[in-house]
Amino acid sequence: MKIKRLKELRERKDKSQIQIAEFLGISQQHYSMYELNKRLIPIDLLVKLSYLYETSIDYIVGLTDKKEPYPKK
């Protein structure tokens, strides 16, 4: 699955790839592969990113254009 919004969301938060990689506990090179769609990003990292960016995984992967996260139950 091609993930289109990783770079856009990162830049909106004014973060570098290194900062995001450190947050995720991976190398910058590894994270770069996710942004370039050369490697699939694991669901646990998508969950962390959805909390960081305050949005849903569906928004990150491009399944919706609604940026707001789903309400918690």
Side-chain angles (χ1 to χ4, degrees), residues 6-64:
L6 283 178
K7 183 177 180 180
E8 169 193 332
L9 288 165
R10 176 178 57 78
E11 289 176 343
R12 277 193 209 163
K13 284 277 192 185
D14 198 30
K15 301 285 185 187
S16 68
Q17 283 188 352
I18 292 171
Q19 290 172 308
I20 299 300
E22 286 175 355
F23 171 77
L24 296 175
I26 60 175
S27 70
Q28 180 274 326
Q29 293 83 1
H30 205 104
Y31 178 77
S32 177
M33 291 184 156
Y34 297 146
E35 279 195 9
L36 295 171
N37 289 297
K38 293 188 177 190
R39 183 178 285 226
L40 293 176
I41 186 167
I43 191 72
D44 62 319
L45 297 184
L46 281 173
V47 169
K48 286 182 177 183
L49 290 172
S50 72
Y51 287 123
L52 175 68
Y53 297 136
E54 299 174 339
T55 192
S56 68
I57 292 172
D58 285 352
Y59 181 79
I60 293 172
V61 300
L63 293 176
T64 184

